[in-house]
Amino acid sequence: MSFLTKDYKPLQPSGGGYFKLKPGENRIRILGSMNDNPPTAIQGTVGWGTDSEGNRKPDRTEPGQKVDASKYEDKPKEFHAFLVWDYQGEQVCIMDVTQASIMGEIISLDNDPDWGDPREYDISIVKTGEGLETRYNTTPKPKKAQTGEIKKAFADAEINLMALFSGGDPFAPVSGEKEVPF
């Protein structure tokens, strides 16, 4: 007899609810859409600055709004943020993408009549290299229906992506009720 259950798995670090690409293969299922209400996928511009305490903070701007590039340390970039199923972490999380190579491949797949909507298949993103030598290879997997586990997790997720534009917490309870700490 063991202290642990037979199906015990160590908890995966959640990255604070954000999907972080790790070296090697990263398998995801895109769940979000810009057509959902509220949106479960957004795009815009992100610039990085430093707050009064010395912490780097993102400043996101919605499409169509003027961006003052002079107030950022680096040149602002286009970003896409959407909800994904992280197969390794077995959870719904936010994937925040600024890499043009990744988004270009996903957009190409979405526009390709043979592939179409990327919510209908998994995507493998292989990360190699480090720093300026980092490369990403994005590959679609054969189409298949989402599992019940993924559908349920997505339905239960209370993630407000629009909070990213105001610097808010996208994981804060939507109802306004405070969670009781353990």
Side-chain angles (χ1 to χ4, degrees), residues 41-165:
I42 59 173
Q43 73 179 78
T45 304
V46 63
W48 286 82
T50 305
D51 67 13
S52 60
E53 298 171 3
N55 301 311
R56 282 185 45 89
K57 298 281 184 182
D59 181 28
R60 293 180 176 86
T61 307
E62 293 186 55
Q65 291 184 345
K66 185 171 168 53
V67 177
D68 179 5
S70 68
K71 69 180 190 176
Y72 303 117
E73 296 165 7
D74 302 318
K75 181 180 176 186
K77 296 181 174 184
E78 180 177 356
F79 82 93
H80 291 80
F82 42 91
L83 300 186
V84 298
W85 177 257
D86 170 12
Y87 280 95
Q88 185 177 6
E90 298 181 339
Q91 64 182 348
V92 174
C93 49
I94 297 172
M95 184 168 182
D96 188 359
V97 180
T98 57
Q99 298 89 346
S101 61
I102 295 172
M103 277 317 301
E105 288 296 322
I106 292 172
I107 291 166
S108 291
L109 289 168
D110 188 52
N111 290 326
D112 184 323
D114 292 331
W115 285 105
D117 190 339
R119 294 175 295 171
E120 296 178 5
Y121 48 89
D122 296 342
I123 295 175
S124 169
I125 302 170
V126 177
K127 178 181 177 182
T128 57
E130 294 181 19
L132 295 176
E133 300 299 317
T134 304
R135 301 288 178 259
Y136 302 96
N137 183 13
T138 305
T139 308
K141 297 299 183 180
K143 290 185 178 186
K144 67 178 181 179
Q146 291 180 18
T147 66
E149 175 188 19
I150 295 172
K151 286 180 183 178
K152 180 173 180 356
F154 181 49
D156 292 346
E158 291 188 21
I159 302 172
N160 176 13
L161 287 179
M162 296 303 288
L164 294 175
F165 289 119

